[in-house]
Each structure stands twice: as C-alpha cells, then as structure tokens.
Amino acid sequence: MAKIKQVALEKIPEFVEVSDHKKNMIIINTTVEFHPLDVSSDLEYMLHVFVYDVHGVNDIPVLLPNWDDTKIQRVVRNERKDDFLCKESVLIRADEVKKENVTFKTPMNLKLGNLQDNTSVYSRKFEVFATLIPAIDRASKWSEPFESQLIFTD
C-alpha cells in the first residue's frame, strides 16, 4: 500500500487576492512512497488534494472514499468552521511510475471571493489535506437529502 510522505506548496504565495475574478494559482507537491507490490501489481490510486482556510484549531476531516468521487466532511472542533477553498484529483498508475518515491505536482486555483468591500490586509492560515485512495478499497457515498412528513401516533 502506497503512503504519502509529504505534502507541501512549491512556493508559498506572499499575497492571495480576494476577488471573484482573480486566480490565485498554487502548486501542491505530494510525495508518495510506493510499496514494491504497488509497482509490480500495477495498482492505481486516486490522489485527492483539498485546500482549506483554517480558523483556529483544524477541523477533523472525515473521509468518504469513493475512488474519483471522494468527499470530505469535517467535525468542527471550535466555534469557527474552516473554509473549503478548492479540490483537485489526480489518477496515479503505479505501472507508469516504475519507482518507489515520486512527487506529484498538482496545480490548484484558490478562489476566496469578495469580503464585504474591505481592502485591509489580513493574514490567513491555509492548509492542504491530501489523501490517496487505492482502486481496490472500500467505497462510500451519501444519498441525496430527502424529506418525509412525521405522523405522531399513540
């Protein structure tokens, strides 16, 4: 089973523009160590990379793995929920890699939107969560929400 050795930004941006129309491109480098069985068995993985604007203590990520449709939900640990900024997914084929340690570059676009016409400069804490889902694993998915009427009886 492959494992993630490191997740890091290629270059930390000094400024991130807050706008509905500006692109803030970042590149996430994810270093993956493949087990020799991954390479010899030609296993496939889906690398999912999530970027958050963290407010205080990190929310706890709850992963719902479903190959290329993986979702993440969070358990909020303080009074402010972290803001989800973007997600990218990359298909990885161990037979194409042919070595045990590889760094994958994932370009991502942070989009923060307008903050009430405020032009002050703020510093924010951004963090990246990466997960590697093997092709041979469990799958999970929530249904669409539905509503039913309640009937109270004796």
Side-chain angles (χ1 to χ4, degrees), residues 62-115:
V62 177
L63 194 65
L64 301 172
N66 198 21
W67 186 236
D68 64 344
D69 184 35
T70 293
K71 302 280 191 260
I72 203 167
Q73 295 185 334
R74 298 159 294 166
V75 176
V76 179
R77 295 198 312 176
N78 60 5
E79 65 281 350
R80 295 189 64 197
K81 185 170 93 170
D82 296 340
D83 293 322
F84 172 74
L85 299 179
C86 57
K87 173 192 174 188
E88 289 293 333
S89 299
V90 178
L91 177 63
I92 297 170
R93 292 186 171 102
D95 65 331
E96 294 173 358
V97 174
K98 300 292 185 200
K99 55 185 176 178
E100 291 182 15
N101 284 296
V102 181
T103 298
F104 297 93
K105 295 178 181 288
T106 309
M108 302 183 79
N109 181 25
L110 299 179
K111 197 168 185 183
L112 286 138
N114 287 319
L115 297 176

Side-chain angles (χ1 to χ4, degrees), residues 110-128:
L110 299 179
K111 197 168 185 183
L112 286 138
N114 287 319
L115 297 176
Q116 303 168 346
D117 297 324
N118 193 339
T119 57
S120 299
V121 176
Y122 294 96
S123 177
R124 300 304 274 273
K125 179 183 170 188
F126 302 114
E127 290 197 32
V128 180

Side-chain angles (χ1 to χ4, degrees), residues 116-153:
Q116 303 168 346
D117 297 324
N118 193 339
T119 57
S120 299
V121 176
Y122 294 96
S123 177
R124 300 304 274 273
K125 179 183 170 188
F126 302 114
E127 290 197 32
V128 180
F129 177 78
T131 186
L132 201 56
I133 307 293
I136 303 169
D137 192 20
R138 66 185 175 124
S140 307
K141 190 165 185 84
W142 281 100
S143 70
E144 291 296 318
F146 63 91
E147 187 174 314
S148 293
Q149 300 296 318
L150 299 179
I151 299 173
F152 295 94
T153 61

